[in-house]
Amino acid sequence: MAQFRILLLAAILMFSGVVVDAYGPGDNGYVGLRDDYYGTSCKDVETVIKKAVQAELAKNLKHAAGVLRMHFHDCFVEGCDASVLLDGPGTEKTAHVNEKLAGYEVIDAAKAAVEEVCPGVVSCADILAYAARDSTVELNGTAWAVQGGRKDGTVSLASRAEAELPPPEFEVSQLIDSFARRGLSVRQMVVLSGSHTVGVGHCDKFVSRLYNFNSTFFTDPTIDPAYATELKNICPQHTFNTTIEVFMDVITPTSAGVFEANYYKTLQEHKGLFTSDQSLFDDTRTKATVTSLLNNERFQKEFGKAMRAMGRVGVKTEGQIRTNCRAVNTY
Ligand code: HEM
Ligand SMILES: *[C@@H]1O[C@H](CO)[C@@H](O)[C@H](O)[C@H]1NC(C)=O
Ligand SMILES: *[C@@H]1O[C@H](CO)[C@@H](O)[C@H](O)[C@H]1NC(C)=O
Ligand SMILES: *[C@@H]1O[C@H](CO)[C@@H](O)[C@H](O)[C@H]1NC(C)=O
């Protein structure tokens, strides 16, 4: 009965033109975020950002995956407040976990273009959220509506990034817990992990699965044996090179990646690169979700909704709108 009432309410809201997300903290007016937030204050902002992002990615399409990951690393540390963009000793970007994070110049270019048309109006946190969407679309992903209204933070600590970002050794229980602390569901966690359909990982992030795995198995038995051999050839024990890039999605291993549901297929084939990937298929709590997301249309649709939910994590209603995304305003 209660469920029926919620469905009825959802139906009424939908027919009245109000956007209702199937899950997440709720879309409408939540911490002041809105679709078309800059509709009157900077009406062309999304077009301006998209053009700047496209021009930057034309120089280096690999930065598309970088920007998508950057938004995640921003939101999970101090909330989505552009804390990841701040330069300086000991800031988040100096953390080991952010060592390979790339594409900051994409955000600089977008910010510069936005300041030309509406100076002092659009936050860096919002620019990063729009740019993450635009980058996904450049890799053939389906677009979603991005909410605006985030303020920029002033705190950025490498130690917080190290402590808050989930490492690749995490298994399902730890992943569920990490996402739940940000109000994100188990399903949203599995959907957002689908980002690993694009981009690359480095040997140091998964060698522990290849050699001296545990007291019973030298190599993680959840890795397809032929794939394990391939990874060992790329990353020799003790002498691996941490600048070598390994495509996370072995089905479509193109230089920048293609944003589609193939990630879930790699998990089914036991070719997930990290424990945090493969365990999603090997755990009863998430296996059925992995299988259902093999459907690309469903994946794309749910990904956009999950990104909207991730984009609401820890959002600040008080704060600044930085002039330079790399530094806090001092005035
Ligand atoms: C579920 C927990 C997650 C873990 C443990 C994790 C871990 C990692 C690791 C270890 C890498 C490779 C880093 C390297 O070797 O340089 C990586 C890359 C990446 N991650 Fe995640 N990640 C997670 C979730 C996410 C989410 C939620 C997103 C985006 C919404 C995301 C987007 C990406 C992208 C796009 C890359 C490729 C970056 C590039 O090629 O430059 N990840 N992730
Ligand atoms: C990109 O998406 C279109 C349709 O949305 C599809 O026809 C095309 O094959 C995709 N390209 C790649 C490289 O996957
Ligand atoms: C080693 O890893 C396998 C696969 O994850 C697991 O089933 C097994 O319990 C582990 N053994 C020990 C001793 O930790
Ligand atoms: C590591 O790999 C990179 C990229 O493939 C290469 O340029 C570099 O020379 C390698 N370094 C060593 C020490 O082999």
Side-chain angles (χ1 to χ4, degrees):
M1 191 61 200
Q3 255 170 334
F4 175 71
R5 283 213 195 97
I6 289 166
L7 274 177
L8 190 66
L9 180 66
I12 290 166
L13 288 173
M14 256 187 277
F15 288 116
S16 60
V18 179
V19 182
V20 189
D21 269 4
Y23 42 50
D27 250 349
N28 302 294
Y30 178 76
V31 295
L33 295 190
R34 286 198 314 271
D35 289 343
D36 201 27
Y37 182 82
Y38 297 103
T40 51
S41 60
C42 188
K43 74 174 172 47
D44 295 329
V45 65
E46 296 196 40
T47 313
V48 168
I49 291 172
K50 186 182 184 171
K51 280 191 180 144
V53 168
Q54 284 174 335
E56 281 300 309
L57 295 183
K59 297 183 213 161
N60 187 350
L61 189 56
K62 283 184 178 181
H63 285 165
V67 171
L68 177 57
R69 186 176 184 223
M70 196 182 290
H71 183 41
F72 163 53
H73 282 206
D74 183 31
C75 294
F76 268 48
V77 186
E78 311 291 350
C80 313
D81 70 344
S83 52
V84 73
L85 301 178
L86 291 173
D87 280 347
T91 58
E92 288 173 28
K93 60 167 66 162
T94 70
H96 180 68
V97 278
N98 285 328
E99 190 190 348
K100 296 285 196 329
L101 203 53
Y104 297 109
E105 50 270 66
V106 177
I107 307 306
D108 291 336
K111 177 65 171 175
V114 169
E115 290 300 292
E116 287 275 309
V117 291
C118 332
V121 172
V122 185
S123 70
C124 295
D126 281 349
I127 290 175
L128 180 50
Y130 291 124
R133 184 265 316 271
D134 297 340
S135 296
T136 305
V137 170
E138 287 306 297
L139 298 176
N140 221 24
T142 302
W144 62 92
V146 173
Q147 295 181 303
R150 300 166 191 81
K151 292 295 194 297
D152 296 328
T154 54
V155 175
S156 177
L157 295 167
S159 56
R160 296 260 174 89
E162 305 289 12
E164 297 296 337
L165 291 167
E169 295 80 21
F170 265 17
E171 292 184 12
V172 173
S173 298
Q174 297 161 302
L175 293 169
I176 289 176
D177 182 58
S178 169
F179 281 66
R181 280 190 282 114
R182 279 124 182 138
L184 299 169
S185 70
V186 180
R187 189 170 181 96
Q188 287 171 326
M189 182 271 288
V190 179
V191 169
L192 292 168
S193 295
S195 299
H196 289 183
T197 185
V198 295
V200 295
H202 298 83
C203 299
D204 55 315
K205 301 297 191 301
F206 56 84
V207 275
S208 64
R209 302 183 71 203
L210 305 178
Y211 312 106
N212 296 323
F213 177 64
N214 70 18
S215 57
T216 318
F217 298 97
F218 182 72
T219 300
D220 184 342
T222 68
I223 313 178
D224 168 78
Y227 183 51
T229 303
E230 212 177 294
L231 291 176
K232 284 175 185 172
N233 287 334
I234 300 169
C235 309
Q237 190 176 18
H238 307 306
T239 61
F240 59 82
N241 177 339
T242 54
T243 61
I244 289 177
E245 296 177 339
V246 179
F247 296 114
M248 292 193 286
D249 171 358
V250 292
I251 298 173
T252 35
T254 61
S255 70
V258 181
F259 197 90
E260 24 61 332
N262 282 348
Y263 167 77
Y264 301 102
K265 202 162 166 41
T266 69
L267 304 188
Q268 235 183 2
E269 293 175 2
H270 290 279
K271 292 174 183 168
L273 191 58
F274 307 128
T275 300
S276 62
D277 298 315
Q278 193 54 54
S279 65
L280 298 177
F281 184 70
D282 294 336
D283 190 292
T284 52
R285 287 167 292 183
T286 46
K287 186 171 191 156
T289 304
V290 168
T291 308
S292 78
L293 293 170
L294 286 165
N295 177 325
N296 187 50
E297 245 175 86
R298 176 177 295 161
F299 166 59
Q300 302 278 357
K301 210 168 118 198
E302 291 197 31
F303 187 77
K305 287 189 182 183
M307 286 298 282
R308 285 168 67 87
M310 191 181 88
R312 289 190 289 268
V313 171
V315 161
K316 296 179 168 62
T317 46
E318 302 284 327
Q320 10 183 275
I321 289 169
R322 279 180 218 149
T323 306
N324 170 357
C325 290
R326 294 173 178 269
V328 299
N329 297 340
T330 51
Y331 46 85

Short mmCIF file of all heavy atoms in Angstrom, two decimals, residues 250-272:
data_model
loop_
_atom_site.label_atom_id
_atom_site.label_comp_id
_atom_site.label_asym_id
_atom_site.label_seq_id
_atom_site.Cartn_x
_atom_site.Cartn_y
_atom_site.Cartn_z
N VAL A 250 39.02 -4.55 -21.98
CA VAL A 250 39.78 -5.30 -23.00
C VAL A 250 38.95 -5.61 -24.24
O VAL A 250 39.48 -6.08 -25.23
CB VAL A 250 40.35 -6.62 -22.44
CG1 VAL A 250 41.43 -6.34 -21.41
CG2 VAL A 250 39.26 -7.49 -21.85
N ILE A 251 37.63 -5.34 -24.17
CA ILE A 251 36.78 -5.63 -25.34
C ILE A 251 36.91 -4.53 -26.40
O ILE A 251 36.99 -4.82 -27.59
CB ILE A 251 35.31 -5.87 -24.93
CG1 ILE A 251 35.24 -7.09 -23.99
CG2 ILE A 251 34.42 -6.07 -26.15
CD1 ILE A 251 33.90 -7.33 -23.38
N THR A 252 36.92 -3.28 -25.94
CA THR A 252 37.13 -2.16 -26.88
C THR A 252 38.35 -1.36 -26.43
O THR A 252 38.22 -0.23 -25.95
CB THR A 252 35.89 -1.23 -26.98
OG1 THR A 252 35.26 -1.15 -25.69
CG2 THR A 252 34.91 -1.72 -28.00
N PRO A 253 39.55 -1.94 -26.58
CA PRO A 253 40.77 -1.27 -26.12
C PRO A 253 41.30 -0.25 -27.12
O PRO A 253 42.35 -0.42 -27.70
CB PRO A 253 41.76 -2.43 -25.92
CG PRO A 253 41.33 -3.44 -26.92
CD PRO A 253 39.87 -3.24 -27.18
N THR A 254 40.56 0.84 -27.33
CA THR A 254 41.03 1.91 -28.20
C THR A 254 41.69 2.95 -27.32
O THR A 254 41.44 2.97 -26.12
CB THR A 254 39.87 2.54 -28.99
OG1 THR A 254 38.95 3.09 -28.05
CG2 THR A 254 39.15 1.52 -29.84
N SER A 255 42.49 3.82 -27.91
CA SER A 255 43.34 4.70 -27.10
C SER A 255 42.59 5.46 -26.01
O SER A 255 43.09 5.60 -24.90
CB SER A 255 44.09 5.66 -28.00
OG SER A 255 43.19 6.59 -28.54
N ALA A 256 41.39 5.96 -26.30
CA ALA A 256 40.68 6.72 -25.28
C ALA A 256 39.52 5.91 -24.69
O ALA A 256 39.03 6.20 -23.61
CB ALA A 256 40.14 8.01 -25.87
N GLY A 257 39.10 4.86 -25.41
CA GLY A 257 37.97 4.04 -24.95
C GLY A 257 36.67 4.46 -25.59
O GLY A 257 36.56 5.53 -26.18
N VAL A 258 35.69 3.57 -25.51
CA VAL A 258 34.35 3.86 -25.99
C VAL A 258 33.43 3.66 -24.80
O VAL A 258 33.51 2.65 -24.10
CB VAL A 258 33.93 2.91 -27.14
CG1 VAL A 258 32.54 3.27 -27.63
CG2 VAL A 258 34.92 2.99 -28.29
N PHE A 259 32.55 4.63 -24.57
CA PHE A 259 31.68 4.55 -23.40
C PHE A 259 30.44 3.71 -23.72
O PHE A 259 29.47 4.20 -24.29
CB PHE A 259 31.28 5.96 -22.92
CG PHE A 259 30.75 5.95 -21.52
CD1 PHE A 259 31.60 6.11 -20.44
CD2 PHE A 259 29.41 5.73 -21.27
CE1 PHE A 259 31.13 6.05 -19.14
CE2 PHE A 259 28.92 5.67 -19.98
CZ PHE A 259 29.78 5.84 -18.91
N GLU A 260 30.49 2.43 -23.36
CA GLU A 260 29.36 1.52 -23.53
C GLU A 260 29.41 0.44 -22.43
O GLU A 260 30.29 0.48 -21.59
CB GLU A 260 29.31 0.87 -24.92
CG GLU A 260 30.60 0.79 -25.68
CD GLU A 260 31.72 0.00 -25.07
OE1 GLU A 260 31.82 -0.14 -23.83
OE2 GLU A 260 32.56 -0.46 -25.85
N ALA A 261 28.49 -0.51 -22.50
CA ALA A 261 28.31 -1.48 -21.42
C ALA A 261 29.34 -2.61 -21.41
O ALA A 261 29.24 -3.51 -20.58
CB ALA A 261 26.89 -2.05 -21.49
N ASN A 262 30.33 -2.55 -22.29
CA ASN A 262 31.29 -3.66 -22.38
C ASN A 262 32.02 -3.96 -21.08
O ASN A 262 32.48 -5.09 -20.87
CB ASN A 262 32.33 -3.40 -23.48
CG ASN A 262 31.76 -3.68 -24.86
OD1 ASN A 262 30.68 -4.26 -24.99
ND2 ASN A 262 32.47 -3.26 -25.89
N TYR A 263 32.14 -2.98 -20.23
CA TYR A 263 32.78 -3.20 -18.92
C TYR A 263 32.16 -4.41 -18.22
O TYR A 263 32.87 -5.27 -17.69
CB TYR A 263 32.61 -1.95 -18.07
CG TYR A 263 32.93 -2.10 -16.60
CD1 TYR A 263 34.25 -2.14 -16.15
CD2 TYR A 263 31.90 -2.20 -15.65
CE1 TYR A 263 34.54 -2.26 -14.79
CE2 TYR A 263 32.18 -2.31 -14.30
CZ TYR A 263 33.50 -2.34 -13.87
OH TYR A 263 33.78 -2.46 -12.53
N TYR A 264 30.83 -4.47 -18.25
CA TYR A 264 30.13 -5.55 -17.53
C TYR A 264 30.39 -6.90 -18.18
O TYR A 264 30.41 -7.93 -17.52
CB TYR A 264 28.63 -5.23 -17.43
CG TYR A 264 28.42 -3.93 -16.69
CD1 TYR A 264 28.12 -2.75 -17.36
CD2 TYR A 264 28.59 -3.86 -15.30
CE1 TYR A 264 27.99 -1.54 -16.69
CE2 TYR A 264 28.46 -2.65 -14.62
CZ TYR A 264 28.16 -1.50 -15.32
OH TYR A 264 28.05 -0.31 -14.65
N LYS A 265 30.61 -6.87 -19.49
CA LYS A 265 30.95 -8.10 -20.21
C LYS A 265 32.35 -8.58 -19.80
O LYS A 265 32.58 -9.77 -19.64
CB LYS A 265 30.86 -7.84 -21.72
CG LYS A 265 30.67 -9.08 -22.54
CD LYS A 265 30.16 -8.72 -23.94
CE LYS A 265 30.28 -9.89 -24.90
NZ LYS A 265 29.92 -11.19 -24.34
N THR A 266 33.26 -7.64 -19.61
CA THR A 266 34.61 -8.04 -19.18
C THR A 266 34.54 -8.73 -17.80
O THR A 266 35.28 -9.67 -17.56
CB THR A 266 35.61 -6.84 -19.10
OG1 THR A 266 35.25 -5.97 -18.03
CG2 THR A 266 35.70 -6.09 -20.40
N LEU A 267 33.64 -8.27 -16.96
CA LEU A 267 33.51 -8.88 -15.63
C LEU A 267 32.99 -10.31 -15.75
O LEU A 267 33.47 -11.23 -15.08
CB LEU A 267 32.58 -8.06 -14.73
CG LEU A 267 32.93 -6.58 -14.54
CD1 LEU A 267 32.01 -5.95 -13.48
CD2 LEU A 267 34.39 -6.38 -14.14
N GLN A 268 32.03 -10.49 -16.66
CA GLN A 268 31.47 -11.82 -16.92
C GLN A 268 32.55 -12.77 -17.43
O GLN A 268 32.53 -13.96 -17.13
CB GLN A 268 30.40 -11.68 -18.01
CG GLN A 268 29.07 -12.21 -17.62
CD GLN A 268 28.07 -12.12 -18.79
OE1 GLN A 268 28.38 -11.69 -19.90
NE2 GLN A 268 26.85 -12.53 -18.50
N GLU A 269 33.49 -12.22 -18.18
CA GLU A 269 34.58 -13.02 -18.75
C GLU A 269 35.78 -13.11 -17.78
O GLU A 269 36.84 -13.58 -18.16
CB GLU A 269 35.04 -12.39 -20.08
CG GLU A 269 33.98 -12.47 -21.16
CD GLU A 269 34.37 -11.74 -22.45
OE1 GLU A 269 35.50 -11.21 -22.52
OE2 GLU A 269 33.54 -11.73 -23.37
N HIS A 270 35.60 -12.61 -16.58
CA HIS A 270 36.68 -12.60 -15.58
C HIS A 270 37.91 -11.84 -16.04
O HIS A 270 39.03 -12.22 -15.79
CB HIS A 270 37.02 -14.03 -15.13
CG HIS A 270 35.91 -14.63 -14.31
ND1 HIS A 270 35.76 -14.37 -12.97
CD2 HIS A 270 34.86 -15.40 -14.67
CE1 HIS A 270 34.67 -14.96 -12.53
NE2 HIS A 270 34.10 -15.60 -13.55
N LYS A 271 37.62 -10.73 -16.73
CA LYS A 271 38.70 -9.87 -17.19
C LYS A 271 38.55 -8.46 -16.61
O LYS A 271 38.91 -7.47 -17.25
CB LYS A 271 38.73 -9.83 -18.73
CG LYS A 271 39.13 -11.18 -19.33
CD LYS A 271 39.01 -11.18 -20.83
CE LYS A 271 39.34 -12.56 -21.39
NZ LYS A 271 38.94 -12.68 -22.81
N GLY A 272 38.02 -8.37 -15.41
CA GLY A 272 37.98 -7.09 -14.71
C GLY A 272 39.39 -6.80 -14.21
O GLY A 272 40.06 -7.71 -13.71
#
